[in-house]
Amino acid sequence: MKFTSVFDIIGPVMIGPSSSHTAGAARIGRVARDLFGRQPKWVKIHLYGSFAETYRGHGTDVAIIGGLLDFDTFDERIKTAFEHAEKAGMQYEFIPETANTEHPNTARLVFGDDDGEMSIVGISIGGGKIEVSEVNGFKLRLTGGMPAIFVVHDDRAGCIANVANCLAMHNVNIGHMEVSRIERGLTALMVIEIDQNIEDKVLQQISLIPHITKVSKINN
């Protein structure tokens, strides 16, 4: 087995008993918050497989809520995340599911506030690492290990090239890109993993490109 880092062997710095059930769960929650761009007012958390069976004992529940509150995996406040959520006015519900999924540590988060809502499917793949496999019904693969940009756009010719050119002008290198669409000619989603955190002014320029409807980022 090839390891790229000592942390692939000993696991992440974290609060909780399990890198998969606690650290990974916290990262799923935090990615959801980043994509939403703010702390949600409410969240419904559907848990599958091992998550559904052991979420209380392994701290998956407090970890996801902690991530939604923007707590990192090593933040001591994860232990009391429910109390912090109550103070912040964030309502939450855990829903264990019996349906089979491709990976045993899977969570579907549906969340929102008065201005909108969102959904993601996150998978904890071990060692504190995660993958996001779906955002608002769009199928994708996001590792969460690199900074990323999410671009919602009309499914029109030239959108991908225009965004790539904008990044190139700012010397932002693309490490991985995927484009997903639910139906041809309607709305599409670009997921772009990049080599460095991106400045807000670059996102603003991307948002001004024709046929771009929404831009968000995940810093690392």
Side-chain angles (χ1 to χ4, degrees):
M1 182 178 294
K2 180 180 178 182
F3 296 104
T4 58
S5 164
V6 66
F7 294 105
D8 290 336
I9 304 173
I10 65 174
V13 178
M14 66 178 192
I15 299 298
S18 169
S19 60
S20 294
H21 289 73
T22 312
R27 285 177 173 157
I28 290 171
R30 205 171 186 207
V31 165
R33 179 195 173 102
D34 285 344
L35 290 175
F36 196 52
R38 56 195 181 275
Q39 180 183 295
K41 186 175 181 180
W42 56 267
V43 56
K44 293 184 178 181
I45 303 162
H46 301 261
L47 300 168
Y48 299 85
S50 181
F51 268 4
E53 296 169 1
T54 64
Y55 70 96
R56 290 191 180 95
H58 284 179
T60 304
D61 48 5
V62 291
I64 291 178
I65 297 301
L68 287 163
L69 293 169
D70 205 25
F71 299 165
D72 210 335
T73 57
F74 52 80
D75 196 317
E76 290 283 346
R77 292 175 296 174
I78 284 179
K79 298 176 182 177
T80 53
F82 291 165
E83 297 173 18
H84 291 285
E86 183 177 355
K87 291 177 182 178
M90 185 173 73
Q91 300 177 348
Y92 54 87
E93 179 183 2
F94 292 94
I95 306 169
E97 303 283 4
T98 58
N100 293 326
T101 55
E102 292 185 6
H103 195 282
N105 299 328
T106 299
R108 174 179 169 83
L109 279 59
V110 183
F111 48 95
D113 57 17
D114 295 339
D115 296 322
E117 64 179 68
M118 192 173 197
S119 68
I120 76 163
V121 175
I123 303 166
S124 179
I125 61 175
K129 297 178 181 180
I130 70 166
E131 288 184 2
V132 175
S133 61
E134 183 180 313
V135 174
N136 285 352
F138 291 97
K139 302 295 183 181
L140 54 90
R141 180 181 176 272
L142 173 69
T143 65
M146 300 171 65
I149 309 167
F150 283 70
V151 183
V152 181
H153 59 97
D154 297 333
D155 187 20
R156 299 288 187 274
C159 284
I160 298 171
N162 289 336
V163 171
N165 288 336
C166 182
L167 293 175
M169 285 191 298
H170 291 276
N171 294 315
V172 177
N173 190 48
I174 296 173
H176 176 78
M177 174 187 279
E178 289 191 15
V179 181
S180 176
R181 60 187 182 184
I182 297 175
E183 187 175 345
R184 180 179 178 180
L186 296 180
T187 302
L189 173 68
M190 270 183 262
V191 182
I192 308 169
E193 293 186 316
I194 53 180
D195 288 346
Q196 70 263 32
N197 289 333
I198 194 169
E199 297 180 2
D200 288 339
K201 67 179 182 180
V202 182
L203 293 186
Q204 180 63 25
Q205 288 187 20
I206 293 174
S207 70
L208 297 176
I209 295 173
H211 302 297
I212 303 298
T213 58
K214 183 178 180 180
V215 184
S216 58
K217 67 177 179 178
I218 299 175
N219 282 335
N220 200 22

